[in-house]
Amino acid sequence: GESGLPQALIIGVKKGGTRALLEAIRAHPDVRAVGTEPHFFDRNYEKGLEWYRNVMPKTLDGQITMEKTPSYFVTNEAPRRIHSMAKDTKLIVVVRNPVTRAISDYTQTLSKKPEIPTFEVLAFKNRTLGLIDASWSAIRIGIYALHLENWLQYFPLSQILFVSGERLITDPAGEMAKVQDFLGLKRIVTEKHFYFNKTKGFPCLKKPEDSSAPRCLGKSKGRTHPKIDPDVIHRLRKFYKPFNVMFYQMTGQDFQWE
């Protein structure tokens, strides 16, 4: 086979469940995907499409090529750039309750930089007035409606699939059925591919025939979140609510984050 440009991209969101989705869809024999995030449409665009194509795995006839880079969803230039590569590219966005997502995002940063201020300090412009700092990326990423507007200027809603990060944990096979349908694939990844790992608290892929061990996400996944002041959680929920409602209206899907 040879490398081709991807027909489908997982474009977001960071800490939403994109790695879990990628690993699950890679269990499908008709999917070839890049393991690492190429960051072509945000950081490496000047390297050109030939470079991008060479990053892709080789495929045979009938296989589709995919990659995931969760920062695309919040990159202003990404929709235009992807559209100019191929306007029929299928886009997948894994979304998750923005409050939990923000805390997860913070937890990841904290593990790399233990010296950063507390979540509470970073979340507010003014704690006394309760003004949320929407410019902090951990909070900004979760304003999904804002970012989606940008994509809808280039792509019809029918070309974007929104996957629930919560349901990816509670019903992985159900969400994977939607993903396979959207990609025009036979439903091969089903219940029998998953088992629930009690220690991790999320589903893992059972061992594929050709390997010895079940595939669970690495130790960087399922980190314990720090305790956050309930008042801060309450204010964040209030902050996100109108944006969530707008997002439900734009997508025609209710993610039940309220």
Side-chain angles (χ1 to χ4, degrees), residues 169-211:
I169 294 170
T170 57
D171 177 22
E175 285 301 285
M176 289 314 296
K178 292 177 201 168
V179 173
Q180 292 169 95
D181 290 353
F182 174 71
L183 295 172
L185 298 166
K186 284 222 297 268
R187 288 188 182 180
I188 290 175
V189 181
T190 59
E191 288 78 22
K192 50 182 191 295
H193 281 75
F194 300 96
Y195 74 95
F196 195 80
N197 181 313
K198 290 191 179 63
T199 340
K200 284 244 172 219
F202 49 71
C204 297
L205 282 167
K206 284 195 186 134
K207 73 176 188 75
E209 279 61 48
D210 57 349
S211 85

Side-chain angles (χ1 to χ4, degrees), residues 156-176:
L157 209 48
S158 58
Q159 247 167 274
I160 311 173
L161 178 71
F162 300 93
V163 173
S164 158
E166 285 83 11
R167 285 198 300 266
L168 205 48
I169 294 170
T170 57
D171 177 22
E175 285 301 285
M176 289 314 296

